[in-house]
């Protein structure tokens, strides 16, 4: 009886903790969020990753892209966080920051800055470069194979040991730069499916390469609904997604599901996990309710930062240094920041829809 009473009390406390945790999270208090995630960790079994290695593009880049080329280093990028341009393609945090937060670690340093924080390498590194793909996309930045090679180099130099890698999670983002490059190179609509197949096959090769290095778990994002990006919806005054393009995302994601299943069938402990950003974007964009707190959009497909003349983009200046863009009053209430990237509020909302599936990394 006494044991029973104690157990009920413990369950009651747990219940209060979980409820309180959720409530505080909704208020974006990071400390409590960490505690909550910590709690999840203990609920979900064996693996406790302490390091995050990130491979991919602008959805995950936190400062690798060169200052001379990238809009991510120009105002008004970074205006919400850290308050000035710092190499993220958003007004603030991006997906990789939220995955690190989920793990209860600080966001890993960009690879480019590794020399400035030797003590900080313990939390992993971010090798993502904006504008890149699994293949070369014409922006002369490292493709995914090359990004993986950077980590292989560090392993060779004994910066990371086998044991480090065993305690590591990899995040892989492929958000459509291969397809943008294909289209601008005049790739045909008929051959698109076979090109998508090649991209996803290369993703499988890359994910296997990452796992073969000794990284215990590899998380890969699905392709977001590319027809809902402002660069497409601008043609309908941000009213409608392009369904043809969203079908391409679905085709990509169907193939991705297949290769991930195959990869898991061929490894011992289901090392590969899909993070369904496609559904995350759709859920948030279609939700009329304000389930994510501050997000509240009249025109959800309209970005916050908009160019004021054709040929310009968010961050462009004219020859006199005058801004060729406008920024919305409240970046916190916009899902998209620019023509292709979510705002920090957008990423946070997507992250909230993905949190429960992220528990899969602790299996
Ligand atoms: C990635 O880039 C390297 C170096 O430029 C190149 O040799 C390689 O073929 C590229 N890989 C793919 C899959 O396109
Ligand atoms: C949707 O995208 C397809 C393929 O890129 C394009 O051909 C078509 O014109 C677009 N439709 C609209 C309404 O913009």
């Amino acid at each position: 009886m006494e044991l029973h009473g104690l157990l009920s009390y413990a369950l009651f406390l747990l219940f209060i903790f979980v409820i309180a945790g959720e409530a505080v999270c909704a208020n974006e208090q990071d400390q409590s969020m960490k505690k909550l995630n910590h709690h999840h960790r203990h609920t979900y079994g064996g693996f406790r990753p302490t390091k995050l290695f990130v491979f991919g593009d602008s959805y995950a880049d936190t400062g690798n892209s060169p200052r001379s080329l990238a809009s991510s280093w120009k105002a008004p990028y970074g205006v919400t966080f850290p308050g000035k341009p710092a190499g993220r393609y958003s007004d603030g945090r991006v997906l990789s920051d939220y995955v690190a937060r989920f793990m209860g670690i600080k966001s890993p340093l960009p690879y480019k800055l590794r020399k400035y924080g030797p003590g900080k390498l313990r939390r992993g590194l971010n090798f993502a470069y904006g504008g890149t793909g699994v293949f070369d996309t014409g922006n002369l930045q490292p493709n995914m194979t090359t990004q993986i090679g950077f980590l292989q180099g560090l392993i060779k130099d004994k910066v990371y040991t086998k044991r480090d890698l065993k305690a590591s999670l990899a995040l892989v983002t492929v958000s459509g730069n291969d397809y943008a490059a294909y289209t601008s190179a005049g790739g045909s609509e008929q051959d698109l499916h076979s090109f998508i197949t090649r991209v996803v096959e290369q993703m499988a090769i890359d994910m296997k390469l990452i796992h073969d290095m000794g990284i215990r778990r590899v998380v890969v994002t699905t392709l977001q609904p590319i027809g809902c990006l402002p660069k497409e919806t601008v043609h309908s005054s941000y009213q409608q997604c392009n369904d043809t393009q969203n079908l391409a995302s679905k085709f990509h994601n169907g193939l991705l599901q297949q290769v991930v299943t195959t990869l898991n069938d061929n490894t011992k402990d289901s090392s590969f996990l899909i993070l369904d950003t496609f559904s995350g974007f759709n859920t948030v964009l279609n939700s009329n309710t304000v389930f994510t707190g501050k997000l509240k959009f009249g025109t959800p497909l309209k970005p916050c930062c908009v160019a004021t003349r054709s040929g310009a983009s968010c961050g462009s200046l004219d020859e006199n240094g005058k801004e060729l863009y406008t920024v919305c009053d409240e970046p916190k209430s916009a899902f998209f920041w620019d023509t292709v990237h979510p705002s920090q509020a957008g990423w946070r909302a997507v992250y909230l829809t993905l949190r429960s599936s992220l528990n899969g990394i602790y299996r």
Side-chain angles (χ1 to χ4, degrees), residues 164-184:
D164 291 333
L165 297 168
K166 253 194 192 141
S168 298
L169 181 79
L171 172 68
V172 173
T173 67
V174 175
S175 316
N177 291 317
D178 292 292
Y179 303 132
Y182 174 86
T183 306
S184 55

Side-chain angles (χ1 to χ4, degrees), residues 134-136 142-146 202 206:
V134 292
F135 299 123
D136 292 330
N143 63 34
M144 190 163 288
T145 318
T146 306
Q202 184 62 41
D206 293 340

Side-chain angles (χ1 to χ4, degrees), residues 48-322:
R48 315 253 185 285
T50 56
K51 293 173 184 30
L52 175 62
F53 292 103
V54 183
F55 305 92
D57 49 34
S58 56
Y59 279 12
D61 186 356
T62 55
N64 281 314
S65 293
R67 280 167 195 262
S68 53
L69 296 177
S71 60
S72 60
W73 287 102
K74 294 181 189 160
Y77 286 78
V79 63
T80 303
F81 171 83
K84 59 174 189 206
R88 285 176 174 79
Y89 290 83
S90 174
D91 62 316
R93 293 172 181 84
V94 295
L95 181 64
S96 46
D97 296 311
Y98 285 102
V99 172
R101 174 181 289 190
F102 181 84
M103 295 166 66
I105 63 172
K106 285 195 171 152
S107 199
L109 277 188
Y111 172 68
K112 194 172 76 178
L113 301 179
R114 68 196 177 282
K115 297 237 159 63
Y116 299 101
K120 294 174 188 161
L121 301 189
R122 268 186 307 151
R123 58 174 108 123
L125 273 174
N126 187 327
F127 300 96
Y129 283 77
T132 64
V134 292
F135 299 123
D136 292 330
T137 54
N139 76 342
L140 304 180
Q141 299 304 306
N143 63 34
M144 190 163 288
T145 318
T146 306
Q147 293 175 23
I148 295 167
F150 291 153
L151 180 55
Q152 286 167 329
L154 295 174
I155 295 168
K156 213 164 145 228
D157 293 345
K158 307 212 158 38
V159 176
Y160 294 109
T161 63
K162 281 278 160 208
R163 205 169 141 200
D164 291 333
L165 297 168
K166 253 194 192 141
S168 298
L169 181 79
L171 172 68
V172 173
T173 67
V174 175
S175 316
N177 291 317
D178 292 292
Y179 303 132
Y182 174 86
T183 306
S184 55
S188 75
E189 199 67 28
Q190 298 95 287
D191 293 341
L192 182 60
H193 275 201
S194 66
F195 183 65
I196 293 176
T197 308
R198 280 182 53 211
V199 167
V200 176
E201 278 168 0
Q202 184 62 41
M203 287 175 74
I205 292 169
D206 293 340
M207 286 186 274
K208 184 169 181 323
L209 207 52
I210 293 168
H211 183 255
D212 285 350
M213 276 190 280
I215 292 185
R216 171 90 174 264
R217 196 138 285 151
V218 182
V219 175
V220 61
T221 56
T222 54
L223 183 60
Q224 75 282 3
I226 52 174
C228 296
L229 298 178
K231 75 174 169 126
E232 304 303 334
T233 62
V234 64
H235 303 304
S236 65
S237 308
Y238 307 114
Q239 296 302 310
Q240 266 166 9
C241 299
N242 184 317
D243 289 336
T244 315
Q245 298 197 352
N246 284 354
L247 279 177
S249 291
K250 283 187 187 161
F251 184 71
H252 170 108
N253 294 336
L255 293 176
L256 182 62
Q257 181 67 63
Q258 285 174 26
V259 301
V260 165
T261 301
T262 306
L263 284 166
N264 276 332
D265 287 345
N266 295 329
T267 51
K268 270 197 291 268
D269 59 347
S270 285
S271 307
F272 301 89
L273 184 79
I274 286 182
L275 192 61
D276 196 358
T277 40
F278 179 88
S279 299
F281 273 57
N282 277 340
T283 302
V284 176
L285 288 173
N286 293 327
S287 81
N288 297 316
T289 52
V290 240
F291 77 103
T292 53
K294 298 195 188 85
L295 262 189
K296 189 182 198 167
F297 17 66
T299 314
L301 300 173
K302 188 177 181 194
C304 176
C305 186
V306 187
T308 49
R309 76 157 79 139
S310 77
S313 51
C314 179
S316 296
L317 302 175
D318 73 7
E319 51 285 356
N320 302 317
K322 208 171 153 295

Side-chain angles (χ1 to χ4, degrees), residues 33-43 102-104:
M33 186 109 121
K34 264 184 214 147
K35 270 189 213 145
L36 178 70
N37 290 333
H38 216 75
H39 164 72
H40 282 188
R41 259 197 255 183
H42 290 290
T43 316
F102 181 84
M103 295 166 66

